[in-house]
């Protein structure tokens, strides 16, 4: 598979020529190397051959749409950060894309400076995860392999959705530390939800239903604050 690592390479998946021209020009001038796919099918073909530092993706694409493409990318074990750029801006649309494996979501129209900031944050986070020496996180009978994105308990694999995996891994990476709901929202969902949303509590319950806490409680609720995993 081709690999360009000297400068940051971005794949833009966008069928609106006006928007793609604006982004290609602006991001190229900002120093990024840009590749355009104007359909989900073209993006799938390009990703089969080349690696990228980040993917900027619209949802409403002709043929293979952004949701289907995200599922395919993650199913193939490609964990390149995906930043969704979409005119769909309801919380349900955002949650669905993030649950399918996207890393962040920016609603159109957006400020170009914010796009640059999101790109930097996502690629920085991704590089830090690759720089970690220990790819194994553990607590009691549960182990997370961050290279394979695999969670096992007593040698049996737990089937987590992408968002459940990100939530559980974030808690594991901060073992023995209380994390507030706001911290969890920011780091797992990467977007600013209304602070009154219960999405964190809902996903904590999803995760708890998939792990066995009969012998040892893994995820602890800290009333009025948030959650933590502790030995």
């Amino acid at each position: 598979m081709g690999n360009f690592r000297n400068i940051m390479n971005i794949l833009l998946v966008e069928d609106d020529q006006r928007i793609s021209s604006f982004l290609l020009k602006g991001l190229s001038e900002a120093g990024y190397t840009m590749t355009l796919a104007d359909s989900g099918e073209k993006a799938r073909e390009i990703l089969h051959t080349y690696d990228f530092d980040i993917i900027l993706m619209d949802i409403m694409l002709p043929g293979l749409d952004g949701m289907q493409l995200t599922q395919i990318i993650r199913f193939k074990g490609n964990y390149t950060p995906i930043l969704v750029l979409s005119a769909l801006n309801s919380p349900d649309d955002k949650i669905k894309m993030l649950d399918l494996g996207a890393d962040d979501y920016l609603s159109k129209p957006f400020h170009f400076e914010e796009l640059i900031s999101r790109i930097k944050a996502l690629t920085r986070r991704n590089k830090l995860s690759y720089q970690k020496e220990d790819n194994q996180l553990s607590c009691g009978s549960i182990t997370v392999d961050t290279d394979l994105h695999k969670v096992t308990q007593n040698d049996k694999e737990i089937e987590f959705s992408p968002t459940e995996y990100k939530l559980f891994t974030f808690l594991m990476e901060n073992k023995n530390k209380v994390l507030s709901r706001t911290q969890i929202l920011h780091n797992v969902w990467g977007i600013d939800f209304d602070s009154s949303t219960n999405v964190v509590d809902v996903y904590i319950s999803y995760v708890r239903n998939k792990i066995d806490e009969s012998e040892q409680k893994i995820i602890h609720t800290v009333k009025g604050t948030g959650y933590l995993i502790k030995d």
Side-chain angles (χ1 to χ4, degrees):
M1 186 175 281
N3 210 340
F4 309 110
R5 284 286 163 231
N6 295 327
I7 33 182
M8 191 178 294
N9 288 272
I10 297 177
L11 175 63
L12 173 63
V13 189
E14 173 63 71
D15 67 314
D16 186 317
Q17 192 174 353
R18 183 180 57 84
I19 295 173
S20 63
S21 296
F22 166 74
L23 291 174
L24 289 173
K25 183 175 185 294
L27 291 169
S28 295
E29 289 175 355
Y32 299 104
T33 298
M34 301 299 299
T35 300
L36 173 65
D38 59 8
S39 71
E41 287 82 3
K42 283 186 183 175
R44 180 176 59 186
E45 203 173 299
I46 292 168
L47 286 165
H48 184 67
T49 309
Y50 299 108
D51 293 333
F52 294 88
D53 295 284
I54 189 168
I55 301 166
L56 308 182
M57 186 189 299
D58 189 14
I59 295 177
M60 295 183 289
L61 299 165
L64 191 69
D65 67 26
M67 291 186 180
Q68 295 166 318
L69 180 59
T70 298
Q71 285 180 296
I72 290 169
I73 291 169
R74 296 303 186 233
F75 179 76
K76 289 182 177 294
N78 183 339
Y79 295 105
T80 302
I82 295 174
L83 171 54
V84 177
L85 307 176
S86 179
L88 302 175
N89 60 7
S90 76
D92 286 345
D93 292 319
K94 295 177 181 180
I95 290 170
K96 186 167 185 181
M97 277 303 291
L98 294 166
D99 200 29
L100 289 173
D103 297 275
D104 201 355
Y105 197 113
L106 192 55
S107 298
K108 298 175 182 175
F110 49 80
H111 292 290
F112 189 74
E113 293 76 14
E114 183 178 4
L115 173 62
I116 295 286
S117 178
R118 299 281 187 110
I119 289 171
K120 287 179 178 177
L122 274 180
T123 52
R124 183 170 61 243
R125 194 186 310 166
N126 198 47
K127 282 173 184 170
L128 284 171
S129 71
Y130 279 120
Q131 288 168 2
K132 287 178 184 170
E133 292 181 9
D134 189 4
N135 66 342
Q136 300 281 336
L137 304 169
S138 62
C139 179
S141 59
I142 296 184
T143 302
V144 179
D145 187 317
T146 55
D147 283 348
L148 298 175
H149 284 232
K150 185 177 179 181
V151 182
T152 55
Q153 184 170 27
N154 294 320
D155 297 322
K156 182 180 178 183
E157 187 172 354
I158 300 171
E159 296 289 342
F160 280 147
S161 73
T163 301
E164 290 165 358
Y165 171 81
K166 282 202 288 188
L167 170 59
F168 190 70
T169 302
F170 181 59
L171 291 170
M172 288 283 278
E173 286 172 342
N174 292 277
K175 190 169 65 172
N176 299 318
K177 183 199 291 186
V178 178
L179 298 170
S180 70
R181 287 174 177 80
T182 302
Q183 285 176 298
I184 296 170
L185 269 175
H186 178 75
N187 285 275
V188 177
W189 278 264
I191 55 178
D192 298 321
F193 276 105
D194 184 330
S195 58
S196 64
T197 180
N198 68 341
V199 68
V200 172
D201 307 287
V202 169
Y203 273 84
I204 287 286
S205 70
Y206 290 165
V207 170
R208 278 178 165 155
N209 287 335
K210 292 185 177 181
I211 61 177
D212 181 4
E213 294 187 301
S214 57
E215 293 180 11
Q216 176 191 354
K217 191 166 182 61
I218 306 293
I219 302 174
H220 299 259
T221 302
V222 181
K223 196 173 181 183
T225 305
Y227 298 95
L228 87 154
I229 283 179
K230 65 179 180 181
D231 290 319

